[in-house]
Amino acid sequence: MGLGIGLGYVIKSILALGVIIFAANYSLKYLNTFMTKKGKAIRIIERTAINKSSSICIVEIAGTYYVMSFTDTRNEILRELTESEKEAVIKTQTEAEGERNTPLFSEAKSEPFLKQLQSRYQSLYEKRK
């Protein structure tokens, strides 16, 4: 008889724990919608890694495109893109999106502008070391 009462408490405890875990999971998902902003003012267009702790990105901030350097210790704007460079970035971005929507993936087209920037800033980074 003592075994039946103890087993009842264990089952009730397991069910209560399951309800608490479910409620916590649901409430965290609900609160996460308020914590993450879905703003469109800042977007990372493309990111290229220089080494394991630094990268170069093309970032759109309020309609203006910048080339930025991201490292563990600091982030800085290297330069603002001109209108022609901005149009080239938008063109390659739309081409890449078009390639992703095709059923068969073709080889990615070379991006000389970004590769040139990558090699240029990678050499500058190595000179600083």
Side-chain angles (χ1 to χ4, degrees), residues 4-129:
I5 295 174
L7 187 61
Y9 285 132
V10 170
I11 292 174
K12 287 179 184 178
S13 298
I14 290 174
L15 288 175
L17 185 61
V19 169
I20 290 171
I21 290 174
F22 177 76
N25 187 24
Y26 180 76
S27 63
L28 286 175
K29 285 182 181 179
Y30 178 72
L31 291 174
N32 192 27
T33 59
F34 295 112
M35 297 299 292
T36 57
K37 301 244 179 191
K38 305 255 189 230
K40 302 291 182 190
I42 299 174
R43 289 189 316 147
I44 294 179
I45 305 298
E46 189 164 342
R47 177 179 292 231
T48 301
I50 301 299
N51 59 29
K52 67 179 183 175
S53 64
S54 65
S55 62
I56 292 177
C57 297
I58 297 176
V59 180
E60 178 187 9
I61 301 174
T64 307
Y65 284 64
Y66 298 99
V67 176
M68 294 184 68
S69 170
F70 292 96
T71 63
D72 288 340
T73 56
R74 62 191 243 188
N75 304 325
E76 61 181 307
I77 295 175
L78 301 174
R79 71 184 191 96
E80 183 178 338
L81 295 181
T82 62
E83 284 299 319
S84 61
E85 292 170 336
K86 178 181 172 180
E87 290 172 5
V89 168
I90 292 171
K91 181 182 174 187
T92 57
Q93 185 181 13
T94 55
E95 287 175 357
E97 287 174 0
E99 288 176 0
R100 274 188 243 137
N101 292 335
T102 58
L104 297 174
F105 292 108
S106 61
E107 287 187 24
K109 295 182 180 177
S110 64
E111 299 164 353
F113 173 72
L114 195 59
K115 296 295 181 187
Q116 180 184 10
L117 280 175
Q118 179 185 5
S119 63
R120 183 169 140 200
Y121 288 111
Q122 187 172 7
S123 65
L124 286 174
Y125 180 77
E126 290 169 356
K127 286 178 186 177
R128 281 194 263 175
K129 278 187 164 184

